[in-house]
Amino acid sequence: MMNVWAIDKDTRLKVLLIELVHRYGENAIMLNSAEQHQQAIEIFTPDNQKLRAYIYTFGQAAGRYGIDLKYPIATHNIVGENEEQSLEQILSILESHLFCGA
């Protein structure tokens, strides 16, 4: 079980993680522990570890997020196209990308 408040990440990212746990359950997402930036996380689901989302708050306005979508084939990745997104927009993108409308 992940203790969201114990991880050394930006509060906005912790809020996002808590919302994801609330919506999908404690075991629905995993963090890439190699991501060391305090203002970024990379998440994926246990069922599909090659489909990932890199979410960051650096370079974004207060209360906003950026998200890069990663696919098994790197040429399909979507990088730098989803910046200045609200929490709800990020959640909607993640629902489509990682949870397939779950």
Side-chain angles (χ1 to χ4, degrees), residues 1-7 17 21 25-31:
M1 183 167 91
M2 174 179 26
N3 180 351
V4 173
W5 295 113
I7 64 173
L17 289 172
V21 167
E26 291 181 11
N27 299 319
I29 60 166
M30 299 177 72
L31 287 177

Side-chain angles (χ1 to χ4, degrees), residues 3-91:
N3 180 351
V4 173
W5 295 113
I7 64 173
D8 184 25
K9 296 293 179 182
D10 180 19
T11 301
R12 287 179 282 174
L13 295 173
K14 291 179 183 186
V15 168
L16 171 64
L17 289 172
I18 288 170
E19 185 59 34
L20 288 171
V21 167
H22 174 74
R23 289 183 183 206
Y24 301 105
E26 291 181 11
N27 299 319
I29 60 166
M30 299 177 72
L31 287 177
N32 175 0
S33 58
E35 177 50 57
Q36 298 300 312
H37 196 289
Q38 201 265 342
Q39 291 182 287
I41 55 173
E42 185 176 68
I43 63 172
F44 52 95
T45 65
D47 297 335
N48 192 348
Q49 296 185 20
K50 293 183 178 184
L51 199 61
R52 294 176 177 233
Y54 180 79
I55 305 149
Y56 52 94
T57 56
F58 57 82
Q60 307 301 302
R64 296 293 178 166
Y65 303 80
I67 185 171
D68 295 338
L69 304 177
K70 298 182 177 183
Y71 293 90
I73 301 172
T75 56
H76 296 163
N77 291 353
I78 300 172
V79 177
E81 294 183 25
N82 294 300
E83 295 202 340
E84 298 297 331
Q85 303 291 304
S86 69
L87 177 60
E88 285 304 318
Q89 288 170 310
I90 291 294
L91 290 166

